[in-house]
Amino acid sequence: MSCPFRSSIQPRDITGPGVIFEDIVRTMNAHYCVLKNVSRPHSRESYMRDRVIIAALSVVLGAASIPAVRAQTGASAPTFHLLETTIDDIHAALRAKRLTCRALIELYLNRIEAYDKTGPRLNAVQTINPRALAEADRLDASYVTAGPVGPLHCIPVLVKDQVETSDMPTTYGSAVFMDFIPRRDATIVTKLKKAGAIIIAKTTMGEYASGYLGSAFGVVRNAYDPTRSASGSSGGTGAGIAANFGTVGIGEDTGGSIRGPAAVNNLVGLRPTLPLVSRFGMMPARPTTDTLGPIARSVKDAAIVLDVIAGYDPNDPVTAYAVGQIPATYTQFLAADGLQGARIGVIREPLDPKADPGSADYKQVRAVVDRALADLKRLGAVVDPVTIPHLASRSVKLYDGNVFETEAATNKYLAQHPNAPVKTLSEILLSGKVIPSRARVLMNVVGHSTGEPGYLELLLIKEELQQAVLNAMAEQRLDALVYATFDHPPGRIPSDVMTRTVVDTAGPGNNRRLSPVLGFPAMTVPAGFTADGLPVGLEFMGRAFAEPTLFRLAYAYEQGTHHRKAPQTTPPLRGESNDR
């Protein structure tokens, strides 16, 4: 019986001594044929063996292709490398005429084809933009006559499928909306396009903004170990950017959905101060904590994206609070010595009651965080522990207790769409299409409203907690607080996860809730890897509108440690390093 799967690299594609390389490729394809017939999810052992084979092949093929490139361009000619490329790298290659926008988009589309639904099957992409190449051609033509369109000229962006696009479906991770195409673009999409970006794809997301599962797609997988969670609910953006399916991405963060996927996929993720970025055109979950922000492979790329998407929007009146709070550019705060003299408070207590400090995997993460704290000191920061009474219990109560906003916000949003397949949250649940674990949680919010006394109680607790945190920072003269985004590595995906009625998609050790319940910005950055090779995120949190401080601290830490490493599950493809 023939194997239905083939590597995207075939013997005919290889430049170099043909017979030896053909044998290697055939061996890899045979290995994949075996893998293809193993029931999912992969065992860790088989998948790690597969990763080693792919990585080894990519090294051999890469070495073989170098002489060919140099023969064409000369040994000293600069080369464009797609893997881990940055916004600045792409623009430099365009200026030097080593790259066209169309060629760039084709390279990214090749990676999506090779690794999203085959190979590691990350399942990060919901919809590929069918007009991506046409948009690239338009930008190439414009570049010749008038130069770059804007600061994101030809930058391929992955956008979470919670955000409206008038030229592609917007599913919210749900089969209920599989064929729904909004009649407008979200403000953030309009801003990205105006800046010259190409929305290369919409990414998978936890159904209705929670978890890493959805009836529209199934399960999104971690780029570093596809048997594990990619976190949520912006898991598709996180896994996709980690796997180099795009240059930068957009996530949404209600209770950690930018920072979680960034942390477990070795990325930078910023949850901005809530009024900073317009949410118009985004399905809400909890309006008092919902926000949009960048997920990127570098701090600088995150800053460039925030420059584009931040600002007042009359369609989202809360953004008026940000007027006067936005600098000319966030990149001006990127300094390699930005930690010199900084005062940082360390939250050492777990903020999640499910954390288990005695477990082996907790200790692995703690070892990585301890090294990160030592690096902060080495780079010039004053690092002191900070203790805030009842911090964990109050933050958990504020987040888990808020069942009051979702139904009214969802119904109001759906009423704006005459062509929406349903008009209320109740209709969504009665459709019978929502996965059981998500439907069970959403049922808990039905019938509640912000007019209940319980909501007033939460607002009072929030004000008390904000004051306690600000007082602690003032007393110790702190620039920011720091903690692990997660105290445990990402959990394994159960084989029956799509049919379970109870799924802990956040996993134990979740420290992401503090920032949203306070309304303060937070940024996670790569802190390294556990002994098992799993990413750990270090999170900086500042006062409202302290994004400049967060960028300064995070950039200095990033430049002083360089913990970002591409996953071995998605190695370079042929043609990704070339002089154009």
Side-chain angles (χ1 to χ4, degrees):
M1 183 175 67
S2 63
C3 175
F5 175 82
R6 285 294 183 268
S7 162
S8 60
I9 304 176
Q10 297 298 320
R12 66 178 177 274
D13 296 327
I14 298 169
T15 302
V19 175
I20 295 174
F21 289 102
E22 288 181 15
D23 289 342
I24 293 173
V25 173
R26 290 192 187 99
T27 299
M28 187 184 82
N29 284 334
H31 177 75
Y32 264 110
C33 287
V34 173
L35 271 179
K36 190 72 175 177
N37 292 299
V38 175
S39 61
R40 298 288 177 170
H42 305 304
S43 70
R44 178 173 173 82
E45 291 75 17
S46 67
Y47 200 85
M48 291 305 170
R49 182 169 63 248
D50 185 53
R51 287 169 63 174
V52 170
I53 288 175
I54 297 174
L57 179 63
S58 68
V59 170
V60 174
L61 293 179
S65 66
I66 289 173
V69 172
R70 286 181 177 170
Q72 296 169 3
T73 64
S76 61
T79 301
F80 173 76
H81 300 275
L82 182 75
L83 202 69
E84 301 293 285
T85 195
T86 66
I87 294 171
D88 286 348
D89 293 336
I90 290 169
H91 288 168
L94 290 171
R95 286 194 299 271
K97 299 182 179 179
R98 288 184 281 116
L99 183 71
T100 64
C101 190
R102 183 182 183 88
L104 179 69
I105 297 300
E106 286 175 339
L107 290 174
Y108 278 118
L109 291 176
N110 289 344
R111 291 189 64 79
I112 294 171
E113 181 181 8
Y115 298 127
D116 193 56
K117 301 298 187 283
T118 59
R121 299 203 314 171
L122 298 182
N123 208 15
V125 172
Q126 182 70 48
T127 304
I128 293 174
N129 184 354
R131 300 184 64 256
L133 290 174
E135 291 177 23
D137 290 340
R138 177 182 61 81
L139 288 170
D140 277 334
S142 175
Y143 194 84
V144 170
T145 59
V149 167
L152 295 181
H153 183 92
C154 189
I155 299 303
V157 181
L158 298 176
V159 173
K160 185 179 183 181
D161 209 20
Q162 190 175 353
V163 174
E164 295 170 20
T165 45
S166 60
D167 51 359
M168 285 181 278
T170 300
T171 70
Y172 317 109
S174 181
V176 177
F177 288 88
M178 282 295 285
D179 301 318
F180 173 58
I181 300 178
R183 297 174 181 174
R184 65 189 188 190
D185 281 337
T187 295
I188 195 170
V189 170
T190 301
K191 288 189 171 189
L192 290 167
K193 289 180 177 179
K194 184 177 179 181
I198 294 177
I199 312 302
I200 191 170
K202 303 289 289 296
T203 54
T204 53
M205 58 172 284
E207 194 157 10
Y208 302 112
S210 182
Y212 56 83
L213 318 169
S215 59
F217 65 94
V219 180
V220 59
R221 299 180 180 276
N222 190 297
Y224 291 83
D225 180 354
T227 69
R228 294 181 182 265
S229 160
S231 189
S233 60
S234 307
T237 302
I241 295 301
N244 287 260
F245 291 172
T247 309
V248 293
I250 296 297
E252 180 274 339
D253 195 306
T254 298
S257 296
I258 289 173
R259 292 159 294 133
V264 304
N265 283 289
N266 198 225
L267 298 168
V268 176
L270 171 67
R271 174 193 168 84
T273 307
L274 192 145
L276 204 58
V277 178
S278 173
R279 298 145 324 154
F280 177 75
M282 179 203 85
M283 177 180 272
R286 299 179 185 179
T288 59
T289 61
D290 294 339
T291 189
L292 293 161
I295 296 177
R297 291 185 293 269
S298 72
V299 174
K300 184 173 184 180
D301 278 359
I304 294 171
V305 173
L306 187 61
D307 279 346
V308 169
I309 64 176
Y312 172 66
D313 175 17
N315 290 312
D316 187 3
V318 73
T319 56
Y321 287 97
V323 173
Q325 302 285 354
I326 302 173
T329 174
Y330 287 99
T331 61
Q332 74 188 70
F333 303 102
L334 307 181
D337 62 352
L339 282 163
Q340 286 288 337
R343 297 185 60 85
I344 299 173
V346 183
I347 299 175
R348 298 306 299 253
E349 66 169 309
L351 298 178
D352 182 354
K354 299 191 300 293
D356 180 8
S359 66
D361 62 354
Y362 180 98
K363 292 175 181 177
Q364 281 197 31
V365 172
R366 178 51 60 94
V368 175
V369 173
D370 286 344
R371 288 194 293 272
L373 297 178
D375 284 331
L376 292 176
K377 293 177 182 178
R378 173 179 59 82
L379 294 166
V382 176
V383 180
D384 287 326
V386 62
T387 301
I388 300 167
H390 311 297
L391 183 63
S393 61
R394 286 192 283 185
S395 61
V396 169
K397 181 177 177 63
L398 278 171
Y399 190 81
D400 292 349
N402 188 356
V403 297
F404 306 103
E405 300 178 30
T406 304
E407 183 175 25
T410 301
N411 294 350
K412 180 180 178 181
Y413 171 81
L414 291 173
Q416 299 171 15
H417 295 280
N419 62 328
V422 292
K423 294 295 188 291
T424 67
L425 179 59
S426 292
E427 288 182 44
I428 288 173
L429 293 170
L430 289 171
S431 72
K433 296 180 179 180
V434 182
I435 56 171
S437 57
R438 186 65 180 126
R440 181 188 62 82
V441 174
L442 285 173
M443 281 298 298
N444 293 332
V445 309
V446 174
H448 289 287
S449 75
T450 56
E452 296 176 50
Y455 189 64
L456 175 59
E457 180 187 359
L458 292 184
L459 294 179
L460 293 173
I461 295 173
K462 175 180 179 177
E463 186 174 348
E464 291 171 359
L465 186 57
Q466 280 181 329
Q467 193 65 62
V469 171
L470 290 171
N471 285 351
M473 295 181 71
E475 287 288 335
Q476 296 183 231
R477 296 181 291 115
L478 301 176
D479 297 298
L481 301 176
V482 71
Y483 45 89
T485 303
F486 291 103
D487 285 326
H488 290 266
R492 294 190 183 279
I493 302 170
S495 59
D496 60 346
V497 70
M498 291 294 291
T499 56
R500 287 188 180 188
T501 56
V502 178
V503 178
D504 182 9
T505 53
N510 176 17
N511 296 326
R512 298 173 293 164
R513 305 305 195 211
L514 183 61
S515 164
V517 299
L518 293 174
F520 294 171
M523 183 186 298
T524 188
V525 291
F529 295 83
T530 66
D532 291 334
L534 299 170
V536 174
L538 185 70
E539 189 162 319
F540 296 88
M541 186 183 78
R543 300 171 177 87
F545 298 110
E547 282 81 2
T549 298
L550 298 185
F551 276 116
R552 174 170 59 87
L553 302 178
Y555 182 80
Y557 176 74
E558 173 195 62
Q559 296 301 304
T561 57
H562 297 287
H563 287 307
R564 167 65 197 168
K565 300 289 186 297
Q568 294 181 0
T569 61
T570 55
L573 299 176
R574 182 180 183 271
E576 288 185 1
S577 295
N578 205 345
D579 183 46
R580 295 177 181 271

